[in-house]
Amino acid sequence: MKQHRFLLCSTLVAALLFSSGCADKEDDGTKSNRTQAGMTTVSTTILPGEIGTEQTVDGAVVTLNGVYRSSFENVRNGYPSDIIFFSFTVTNNTDAPIAANFSQTCEMEIDGEPSEVFSAKAISSVFKQFGSDAEMFVNEIPAGETVTGYIGAEMYRGYKEASLLYTPLAGGTSDNKDRSKLIRYTFHPEDLEYIGDPVVTDVTAATNSD
């Protein structure tokens, strides 16, 4: 699986993925994104995010309701991992639809490094935990509407700190697409509360799915 990045280099826009080496962090709360040709520089504003607190990005109102640990475990690339869940509420106060799909809007950093956490195991665990009708932001959010749903992530065991970077308008359409602002949510393993028993009770302790 490729790393998900919010800001896309000009040569990778069609792939909707960010290459690991094209962003530089700045000291003023921005990221500087340069194309491979070195011709264009795009600055991204990083906004602080807190659990339970609304953050607005140009009309997209985002609330991270909680970050949860679960009963789901895996062995990925030979290392034990745990599935965690993010609960988000997104209100679209813009005048056009926005796409909140995590493959377009989310990136994870673990202990300061980009990490590939949005695995097939994490996706399937959302449905096992919350049911087959669980909201995963697959569809666009129409203007004026609010959606609450879940994002699953597979975390290698033993990390000390992680940050979810969320760009609400990265998946927008036409003039409503904007990757210049993202929200950073930082958390630690001890911050996570248990989500409770899954809807599907046959939780497999460890399966080599990736």
Side-chain angles (χ1 to χ4, degrees):
M1 293 179 67
K2 296 184 179 179
Q3 298 170 355
H4 295 282
R5 302 287 299 202
F6 282 102
L7 301 178
L8 304 181
C9 295
S10 61
T11 57
L12 298 180
V13 170
L16 292 174
L17 297 172
F18 195 85
S19 65
S20 59
C22 62
D24 300 318
K25 294 180 180 178
E26 306 292 343
D27 294 332
D28 58 355
T30 65
K31 280 187 176 182
S32 178
N33 176 34
R34 297 177 176 84
T35 66
Q36 290 182 347
M39 300 298 293
T40 304
T41 298
V42 179
S43 294
T44 297
T45 301
I46 301 175
L47 305 173
E50 295 183 10
I51 295 176
T53 301
E54 288 185 352
Q55 183 63 270
T56 301
V57 177
D58 296 333
V61 182
V62 180
T63 302
L64 176 60
N65 304 309
V67 186
Y68 306 96
R69 57 186 176 86
S70 73
S71 300
F72 295 99
E73 302 175 348
N74 196 24
V75 175
R76 188 181 186 200
N77 299 324
Y79 297 95
S81 59
D82 299 298
I83 304 300
I84 69 172
F85 299 114
F86 301 90
S87 171
F88 272 101
T89 297
V90 181
T91 298
N92 181 6
N93 286 336
T94 73
D95 57 1
I98 60 175
N101 190 296
F102 66 87
S103 67
Q104 298 170 289
T105 58
C106 290
E107 171 192 0
M108 184 75 78
E109 292 181 356
I110 298 179
D111 294 329
E113 297 294 332
S115 183
E116 303 168 353
V117 300
F118 304 114
S119 65
K121 177 71 174 182
I123 295 171
S124 64
S125 294
V126 172
F127 294 113
K128 291 179 180 179
Q129 180 68 46
F130 303 103
S132 59
D133 58 348
E135 173 61 57
M136 290 186 63
F137 301 108
V138 174
N139 299 313
E140 290 184 334
I141 302 175
E145 293 196 10
T146 298
V147 174
T148 295
Y150 302 95
I151 298 170
E154 184 169 355
M155 310 289 288
Y156 287 118
R157 205 165 293 164
Y159 71 95
K160 296 180 180 179
E161 181 179 89
S163 293
L164 178 70
L165 308 180
Y166 187 83
T167 308
L169 298 182
T173 57
S174 61
D175 292 339
N176 202 29
K177 181 176 291 186
D178 186 0
R179 299 182 177 88
S180 65
K181 296 178 183 177
L182 63 83
I183 309 169
R184 178 190 292 272
Y185 298 96
T186 299
F187 60 94
H188 307 85
E190 60 270 22
D191 298 331
L192 277 61
E193 60 179 294
Y194 180 58
I195 190 63
D197 294 335
V199 173
V200 178
T201 57
D202 58 338
V203 179
T204 302
T207 57
N208 295 312
S209 64
D210 288 308

